[in-house]
Amino acid sequence: MDKIIVNGGHQLNGTVEISGMKNAALPIIYACVLVGAKCTIENVPNVRDVALSLDILRGMGAIVNKINDTTVEIDCTDVKPGTSEPELAKKIRASYYLMGAELGRFKKSKVAFPGGCDFGGRPIDQHIKGFEMLGATVTSTCDYVEMTADEHEFYGTNIFFDIVTVGATMNVMLAAVLAKGNTIIENAAREPHIVDLANFLNTCGARISGAGTDVIKIKGVEKLRGSTYAIIPDMIEAGTYMVAAAATGGTIKVTNVIPKHLESISAKLEESGSIVEEFGDAVIVTGRSKIRKANVKTHPYPGFPTDMQPQMATLLCLASGVSYVSEGVYEKRFRYVDELKKMGASIKVDGRMAVIEGGLPLHGTDVVAVDLRAGVAMIIAGLVAEGTTTISNIHLIERGYDDVVGKFRSLGADIKKVSEPD
Ligand code: EPZ
């Protein structure tokens, strides 16, 4: 089993270039099923979830060619609906974008119920509500979601989401693009990757407006065409290295970013004592020896991202005083706290609230990556802990971080990946 070993006590300094955003690349890759023509996608991150998604499309009859390290050609002309491999699809959450893409193009779909990180219940009732309101008949079991729609009764409509949901906003957008008539999605999520998906679809001939606001309008079109599109930079990967600078007291220039996407992260780091300077496509974060306590409430964009919660909580373990972290998106996203407590942290969790008594020294030990972002938080903890931290289950980290060991090493971390017999 592969592990990451970190020896703490090294300040991180230097420059790191951010890869394309996993959570934008995944819906755009699955959207190629809706487009049904050759698309060239650039700035694609080299992460496990992308590789798995490309394999799923290949298994459905897509022609997928990697042009270079970050560019892939995807032609879904001959893809058939309902043919995704269930054992692959249920490994990740993003495969559920096949539902909207297949329904939109073929007016039928059958996809295994999605997997993904374990944060408690992750229902898809809002996705199904949107599909049904467009005219689909949905049958869902614990294994599959199956949909059919009569071509003549699949029609644009007004959909008001009961909660703000990234996945349902994008999935229903996919389903509505080729529907007759106009669709208005209200109470839509506003994440930058939703804007990226809308921009990609519009380069293919869709007519989507309002993405990035809570009201998205989609005018149905007859057909889409292939296009070339570059994925936006990964704001969560960027935020992760920003927190690492703050935690180790170093200065890191994070390049290939859109500073606007990082505003809530930059603000929280400044609140906890770091210096953050913004440039056109970069930010420079300088950590200070004295880290101030701060309170965090995660919330859909433009709020503080839930995907930055474990990383920020780790930083607050180093702050002087008591910090409060409340998780506004998921039922259970504090499973990593037990791992931090093994390292000496003092954190009490009550439901969606964690109370962090900062200022206690962290010491290296064996820890587990319990999910993707929790795993990278273990790396940050290892960077500042005394001694050696060994992280297992690192395939979860590699689901969403491109060359995470190489990038941290280039910043001065004493970090390596080792393979040990299972
Ligand atoms: C996406 O998950 C991301 N995953 C998550 O990132 C991210 O945490 C999340 O958005 C929020 O930003 C991908 O993009 C692959 P949601 P998703 O639809 O689509 C409730 C990472 O680390 N909900 O906003 O699942 C339910 O509790 C991952 O990269 C319903 O109740 O986000 C769900 O868990 C982790 N009914 C929560 O909202 C619904 O129909 C967030 O869902 C839909 C959602």
Side-chain angles (χ1 to χ4, degrees):
M1 175 168 64
D2 293 344
K3 294 187 177 180
I4 287 177
I5 296 177
V6 188
N7 290 312
H10 299 267
Q11 200 180 70
L12 297 196
N13 291 291
T15 298
V16 62
E17 182 173 341
I18 296 307
S19 303
M21 181 164 198
K22 163 180 87 84
N23 290 347
L26 294 172
I28 286 171
I29 286 168
Y30 288 110
C32 292
V33 171
L34 178 75
V35 174
K38 182 154 81 172
C39 297
T40 302
I41 313 297
E42 299 169 344
N43 202 32
V44 177
N46 275 298
V47 295
R48 285 177 181 265
D49 279 12
V50 164
L52 177 64
S53 299
L54 296 175
D55 284 346
I56 289 172
L57 292 193
R58 287 189 184 95
M60 297 175 71
I63 299 169
V64 179
N65 292 316
K66 282 209 81 169
I67 305 302
N68 60 42
D69 212 23
T70 57
T71 304
V72 61
E73 248 177 27
I74 303 172
D75 186 342
C76 293
T77 305
D78 298 327
V79 156
K80 300 285 178 289
T83 60
S84 55
E85 171 50 56
E87 287 313 307
L88 297 183
K90 66 186 183 185
K91 284 185 175 182
I92 59 173
R93 185 141 184 97
S95 56
Y96 69 11
Y97 292 121
L98 281 170
M99 297 176 192
E102 290 183 359
L103 181 64
R105 179 175 167 195
F106 302 107
K107 307 301 181 276
K108 60 181 177 180
S109 170
K110 183 175 182 181
V111 185
F113 210 85
C117 297
D118 173 13
F119 301 139
R122 295 183 77 178
I124 61 168
D125 56 299
Q126 298 299 301
H127 302 238
I128 290 171
K129 167 181 167 174
F131 297 145
E132 287 177 334
M133 290 183 73
L134 287 166
T137 301
V138 182
T139 312
S140 74
T141 70
C142 52
D143 294 323
Y144 277 105
V145 175
E146 191 157 9
M147 297 189 278
T148 56
D150 179 324
E151 180 84 32
H152 306 294
E153 289 168 17
F154 194 73
Y155 216 82
T157 184
N158 288 12
I159 298 161
F160 193 101
F161 282 136
D162 301 328
I163 60 161
V164 174
T165 145
V166 171
T169 299
M170 292 203 269
N171 229 344
V172 170
M173 184 194 290
L174 288 167
V177 161
L178 294 176
K180 289 183 182 54
N182 300 331
T183 296
I184 299 178
I185 300 174
E186 293 184 87
N187 201 21
R190 297 182 278 169
E191 272 67 4
H193 30 307
I194 293 169
V195 179
D196 216 24
L197 175 63
N199 288 343
F200 165 67
L201 291 169
N202 284 341
T203 64
C204 296
R207 296 179 64 189
I208 303 168
S209 59
T213 75
D214 60 353
V215 180
I216 299 176
K217 294 181 180 169
I218 301 150
K219 291 185 186 313
V221 295
E222 290 287 316
K223 196 162 169 41
L224 296 173
R225 59 181 180 270
S227 76
T228 295
Y229 191 78
I231 304 287
I232 55 170
D234 194 318
M235 57 189 260
I236 305 300
E237 185 195 17
T240 301
Y241 290 105
M242 292 166 72
V243 168
T248 61
T251 297
I252 296 180
K253 181 176 185 181
V254 186
T255 63
N256 186 32
V257 298
I258 300 172
K260 174 76 183 159
H261 294 168
L262 304 171
E263 279 181 345
S264 64
I265 301 166
S266 300
K268 198 50 73 178
L269 287 176
E270 286 177 327
E271 192 183 323
S272 58
S274 297
I275 299 167
V276 182
E277 301 161 80
E278 286 186 8
F279 303 87
D281 65 350
V283 293
I284 297 180
V285 180
T286 300
R288 310 267 281 278
S289 54
K290 185 171 171 14
I291 298 167
R292 286 200 296 264
K293 66 183 172 65
N295 298 330
V296 178
K297 293 179 190 300
T298 71
H299 196 268
Y301 192 83
F304 190 88
T306 176
D307 293 349
M308 281 296 303
Q309 186 253 85
Q311 301 92 309
M312 195 67 206
T314 301
L315 176 67
L316 294 171
C317 290
L318 311 174
S320 47
V322 177
S323 301
Y324 296 85
V325 177
S326 71
E327 172 53 52
V329 175
Y330 293 108
E331 282 169 25
K332 283 190 325 182
R333 195 171 193 163
F334 289 116
R335 290 194 305 133
Y336 66 91
V337 164
D338 290 339
E339 302 305 310
L340 286 178
K341 287 163 82 170
K342 286 181 194 169
M343 299 178 76
S346 170
I347 307 175
K348 288 188 184 62
V349 173
D350 179 8
R352 291 191 179 208
M353 173 71 82
V355 182
I356 302 171
E357 185 193 348
L360 303 179
L362 299 182
H363 53 78
T365 186
D366 294 349
V367 291
V368 178
V370 294
D371 64 61
L372 159 57
R373 309 299 175 181
V376 82
M378 295 302 111
I379 294 179
I380 294 172
L383 290 171
V384 298
E386 192 185 329
T388 300
T389 300
T390 301
I391 305 165
S392 55
N393 235 20
I394 64 166
H395 66 281
L396 292 182
I397 303 174
E398 293 167 337
R399 287 186 53 190
Y401 284 85
D402 191 344
D403 189 21
V404 69
V405 170
K407 289 187 179 183
F408 271 118
R409 195 207 302 280
S410 73
L411 292 166
D414 179 350
I415 183 172
K416 63 182 176 184
K417 175 177 170 179
V418 297
S419 292
E420 292 183 356
D422 285 349

